[in-house]
Amino acid sequence: VGVSGPGVVRAALAKAPDANITEVADIIKKTAFKITRMGQLVGMEASKRLGVPFGIVDLSLAPTPAVGDSVAHILEEIGLERCGTHGTTATLALLNDAVKKGGVMASSYVGGLSGAFIPVSEDQGMIDAVNEGALTIEKLEAMTCVCSVGLDMIAVPGDTSAATISGIIADEAAIGMVNQKTTAVRLIPVIGKGVGETVEFGGLLGHAPIMPVNSFSCEKFVNRTGRIPAPIHSFKN
């Protein structure tokens, strides 16, 4: 059972604009508890009616292009002028931690990629932040260190080189390896379009501004061949 609710979390925080950080975390935990509990009750009833075993509750704050259904807007409700400014990674870490703590308390079956997703094209708050210059690929990469997934639904210029794309993927793989977490890259080179233009995907995939990538080359690194050695924590057994 997939459970989401960015709009619900933001609405709960909006009722306590003067709350301190500890109180903000408690509000998120309590809201996540309610969402998860409802998801489990609905899921167990559905399983009973279908005659199949109940699996897990995947508590993921997954945004949609719908107004008010944005993870970026939750971060801004906590106190950021715009998602992507300094403090964004810390705020996202707070959100992710509180969502997981509330969800785990509500169900013994929490699993999947529980936490906050940060796709650009599917989150209107992220789109606005990119258009205003507050959010960059580099900041999104930093944010992936503390959220559930990786770089997600990011449109880049169609002439972005294969080496640059490989370097971006390598950076995310390194973050996942060192932090022992899942990471992925959904990067979309949009043929014929450049920085500042927009691409329409339609439906839940929404639309995305074309984001700039670093203009300096990593081709020599990418083409060296060989393997990056396993990090020291891989030898802990």
Side-chain angles (χ1 to χ4, degrees):
V1 178
V3 181
S4 185
V8 177
V9 174
R10 184 191 181 192
L13 290 170
K15 295 176 182 177
D18 298 322
N20 63 37
I21 293 297
T22 304
E23 293 165 342
V24 164
D26 284 342
I27 291 168
I28 296 170
K29 282 189 289 186
K30 290 174 182 177
T31 306
F33 180 94
K34 293 176 183 177
I35 296 170
T36 307
R37 197 66 181 164
M38 178 58 71
Q40 178 171 317
L41 292 173
V42 171
M44 293 185 77
E45 180 61 26
S47 297
K48 179 180 176 182
R49 295 188 186 188
L50 292 170
V52 297
F54 181 78
I56 62 168
V57 177
D58 180 358
L59 175 62
S60 302
L61 291 183
T64 72
V67 175
D69 210 12
S70 164
V71 169
H73 288 159
I74 297 176
L75 304 182
E76 291 164 6
E77 189 66 51
I78 295 173
L80 306 178
E81 180 179 6
R82 183 61 78 200
C83 178
T85 188
H86 301 297
T88 297
T89 305
T91 309
L92 181 60
L94 166 70
L95 172 63
N96 226 41
D97 178 70
V99 166
K100 291 184 178 183
K101 285 176 178 174
V104 168
M105 288 295 291
S107 172
S108 299
Y109 303 99
V110 172
L113 296 172
S114 298
F117 282 64
I118 52 171
V120 174
S121 80
E122 300 166 17
D123 188 310
Q124 188 59 52
M126 297 286 181
I127 294 169
D128 293 340
V130 171
N131 285 333
E132 293 180 24
L135 186 60
T136 64
I137 289 180
E138 288 78 13
K139 187 59 179 180
L140 283 163
E141 181 182 296
M143 292 163 69
T144 66
C145 296
V146 299
C147 76
S148 297
V149 285
L151 296 172
D152 198 7
M153 291 303 290
I154 296 172
V156 297
D159 60 359
T160 303
S161 71
T164 294
I165 293 172
S166 297
I168 292 171
I169 293 172
D171 285 341
E172 275 306 302
I175 287 172
M177 175 181 67
V178 172
N179 291 316
Q180 295 180 290
K181 67 187 287 295
T182 53
T183 54
V185 175
R186 279 204 294 180
L187 205 66
I188 306 166
V190 184
I191 305 302
K193 292 206 173 189
V195 174
E197 296 184 82
T198 299
V199 58
E200 294 283 347
F201 297 119
L204 286 175
L205 297 181
H207 64 281
I210 310 299
M211 299 182 68
V213 298
N214 197 300
S215 60
F216 290 88
S217 175
C218 61
E219 189 166 1
K220 184 175 179 179
F221 164 67
V222 167
N223 291 329
R224 274 187 178 273
T225 72
R227 296 181 181 179
I228 296 176
I232 193 68
H233 65 60
S234 67
F235 304 114
K236 63 186 178 181
N237 290 330

